[in-house]
Amino acid sequence: MAETPVGIWFVGARGGVAATATVGLAALKQGLLGTAGLVSELPAFAGLGLAEWTRFVVGGHEIRGVSLPEEAARLMRESHTFDRELFEQCRAELERIDGRIRPGTLEKSGPTIAGFADLDLPRDKSPRHAVERLKQDLAEFVESEGLGHVVVVCVASTEPVAEPTDVPLRWTELEPLLESAGKCPLPASSLYAVAALESGHSFVNFTPSLGSNSPALDELARACGTRHMGCDGKTGETLMKSVLAPMFARRNLQVMSWVGHNIFGNIDSRVLDDPVSKRAKVTSKDHLVGEILGYRPQTLVSIERIESLGDWKTAWDHVHFRGFLDTPMTLQFTWQGCDSVLAAPLVLDLVRLTELAYRRDHVGLMPFLASFFKSPVGVDEHRFDRQFAMLEEWALGG
Ligand code: NAD
C-alpha cells in the first residue's frame, strides 16, 4: 500500500528559495539529481526511515502573482543553477504546484514587502480572521491531496524587526489580541505560525522574522501537541563563522575584530535594502561570534544590494586576531555562493527531519535542528560541530 503523502507548505512559495527547493524536489522525485548539498542523505542518517522524496506534495502562500514556472525560469536564466533540460522535466510538476498556491497575508510586513504584492489579497477583518483563512487553505490542501501531516516552512521576505519581548509571554494573554489589528503585535510570519500550529501541523521558520519565536507560540505548539523551530537558515558566511570561531577559541587566538561585508542582488536584497528589514538580518548574523568566543570583539556586518550579482552572494570577511607575544595577525576569506542553491537543500532536509520528529511524537521546540539556523531558538550552542553532534544524537536516539 502506498504511504500517506506528506505536505510541504511554503510561505513565500514563489520566492527564490522556495522555487529552487521545489525544482530540486521535483528533480529528486524523478531521480534526476545526486545528493550533493543534502544533509539528510549523509550516511549518518541512513536507516532512520526518513520519508522518501516521492512522498512530498508542495503547496503554499504568496503575495506575488508571478507563476512558479515563470519564477523558476527566471532563476534558470539569471543564476544558471540548473539547465533548461532539467527545467522542462520539472515544468509540469511546477504548474501543478502553482495551482495550489493561495494568497497570503501582509499583516505588519511593512511598506517595502507590501510594495511587491500584486495579488489581490483578501481584506481580513482582524488577525484572527486572517489566521482562520490561512487554516482553511491548509485544511483544503490536506483534504485535496489526502495528506497525513504538513510541514509549514516560512521562506517569505524578511519582515521589519519585531521584538519577542513585545509579545505577551502567555498564549492566553496573546490570543485575545488577535481580534484587533491595532492591538495584535504579531507580524504575518507569526500568523502563519499560529495557523500551522492550531491546525496541528509543524512550523519551521527559515527567515529572521519573528515567526514562532516567542514563549506564547511555544506554549501554543505544546498545547496543540505539535512542533516548531527557527530561525534564519545558516547557509554561508554565518556557517563559516560557526566553524571558524571555535578554532580561534580553542587555540586561544584572541579575536580583536571580525568584519563581514556581504554583497548580492536578488529580490531578498531589495527587501534587505530597507533599513528595518536589514536590522533583523544583521542582528541575526552578528551575535554569533561573541557568543562562541565568550567575549565581544568589535564586529561589523554589512549587507549591500549590488543588482548585477543576482542570487550570487559574495561575503568578504576580515578577522584581526592576536597570538603569542601579542602579535597581530589576519585571516581573510571570500565566500561566493548561490544563495538559493545553498538554502534549498537545507529546507528539504528540515522538512524531512521535522516529519520524522512528527512520527516520533516530538512536541515543542526542535533544538536538535540547531545546526541549520543562525539563531536557533532556545539553543545557546552556536559551534557548528557541537550542533551537528546534537542532530546525530537525536537521530540515533530515536
Ligand atoms: P525572495 O525575496 O526571493 O522570496 C521571498 C518570497 O516571499 C517572495 O516571493 C515574496 O513575494 C514572498 N512573500 C513576502 N511576504 C510574504 C507574505 N507575507 N506572505 C507570503 N509570501 C510572502 O527571498 P529568498 O531569497 O527566497 O529568501 C527567502 C527568505 O529566506 C528570506 O527571509 C531570507 O532572508 C531567508 N534566508 C535565505 C537564505 C539564503 O537564501 N541563503 C539564508 C537564510 C535565510
Side-chain angles (χ1 to χ4, degrees), residues 11-18 61-64 71 104-106 109 113 116 154-159 188 192 206-209 232-235 266-268 271-272 281 311 313 339-340 342-343 374:
V11 178
R14 293 174 178 136
V17 174
H61 279 121
E62 244 307 333
I63 55 162
R64 289 186 305 137
E71 188 63 18
T105 174
L106 274 171
S109 296
I113 297 178
F116 293 146
C154 184
V155 278
S157 312
T158 303
E159 294 167 344
Y192 290 115
F206 202 76
T207 80
S209 307
D232 202 6
K234 185 160 76 177
T235 56
N266 60 14
I267 307 176
D268 193 32
V271 176
L272 296 178
K281 195 66 165 184
D311 210 23
K313 183 184 282 173
D339 246 11
S340 301
L342 291 165
K374 291 188 189 76

Side-chain angles (χ1 to χ4, degrees), residues 28 36 59 73 124 141 162 168 177 200 204 219 225 228 235 275 306 318 325 333 336 360 371 385:
L28 283 165
D124 302 302
F141 180 48
L177 305 184
V204 174
E219 187 183 327
H228 65 123
T235 56
I306 303 295
H318 182 283
L325 304 176
F333 68 84
Q336 289 176 296
R360 287 183 175 184
S371 62
D385 60 339

Side-chain angles (χ1 to χ4, degrees), residues 33-314:
L33 276 193
T35 57
L38 288 159
V39 176
S40 61
E41 292 284 353
L42 284 170
F45 308 115
L48 272 187
L50 290 169
E52 297 295 331
W53 298 117
T54 46
R55 280 183 64 196
F56 292 101
V57 182
V58 177
H61 279 121
E62 244 307 333
I63 55 162
R64 289 186 305 137
V66 59
S67 79
L68 185 59
E70 278 166 4
E71 188 63 18
R74 189 185 64 76
L75 285 170
M76 175 183 66
R77 273 194 318 276
E78 293 179 8
S79 304
H80 309 284
T81 48
F82 48 89
D83 60 28
R84 179 159 292 279
E85 191 183 351
L86 188 103
F87 171 71
E88 292 300 341
Q89 285 164 308
C90 297
R91 186 198 282 270
E93 171 91 344
L94 298 180
E95 279 163 7
R96 272 194 297 279
I97 293 167
D98 200 54
R100 299 185 202 119
I101 296 175
R102 300 282 171 264
T105 174
L106 274 171
E107 191 68 29
K108 296 194 169 50
S109 296
T112 303
I113 297 178
F116 293 146
D118 53 7
L119 270 183
D120 195 12
L121 300 177
R123 291 183 185 278
D124 302 302
K125 278 189 262 169
S126 67
R128 173 46 75 189
H129 274 92
V131 167
E132 293 307 316
R133 176 172 63 80
L134 304 175
K135 282 164 71 175
Q136 184 61 33
D137 293 337
L138 286 169
E140 283 170 17
F141 180 48
V142 169
E143 174 71 24
S144 63
E145 303 303 322
L147 305 174
H149 185 64
V150 179
V151 182
V152 175
V153 187
C154 184
V155 278
S157 312
T158 303
E159 294 167 344
V161 179
E163 300 296 344
T165 44
D166 293 344
V167 180
L169 292 176
R170 301 297 311 270
W171 175 244
T172 43
E173 293 163 26
L174 175 60
E175 189 180 15
L177 305 184
L178 265 70
E179 300 301 337
S180 149
K183 293 189 182 146
C184 181
L186 298 182
S189 61
S190 301
L191 300 186
Y192 290 115
V194 172
L197 300 174
E198 286 189 339
S199 303
H201 299 312
S202 305
F203 181 79
V204 174
N205 182 12
F206 202 76
T207 80
S209 307
L210 187 65
S212 61
N213 181 14
S214 76
L217 265 70
D218 184 50
E219 187 183 327
L220 174 65
R222 288 172 189 280
C224 296
T226 184
R227 62 216 61 72
H228 65 123
M229 192 59 190
C231 55
D232 202 6
K234 185 160 76 177
T235 56
E237 189 216 11
T238 316
L239 174 66
M240 290 290 289
K241 285 179 174 171
S242 72
V243 172
L244 289 173
M247 177 199 74
F248 286 104
R250 286 177 183 162
R251 283 291 163 93
N252 199 9
L253 296 170
Q254 294 164 2
V255 177
M256 297 179 287
S257 62
W258 193 314
V259 177
H261 290 297
N262 297 265
I263 50 173
F264 68 128
N266 60 14
I267 307 176
D268 193 32
S269 74
R270 273 163 64 190
V271 176
L272 296 178
D273 235 14
D274 178 339
V276 279
S277 292
K278 185 181 286 192
R279 190 154 70 83
K281 195 66 165 184
V282 167
T283 306
S284 183
K285 285 170 84 69
D286 199 28
H287 67 103
L288 185 131
V289 166
E291 285 175 32
I292 291 177
L293 295 173
Y295 56 90
R296 300 223 162 261
Q298 183 181 1
T299 57
L300 176 81
V301 174
S302 73
I303 303 174
E304 299 302 336
R305 171 170 165 76
I306 303 295
E307 196 173 349
S308 69
L309 294 177
D311 210 23
W312 286 87
K313 183 184 282 173
T314 295

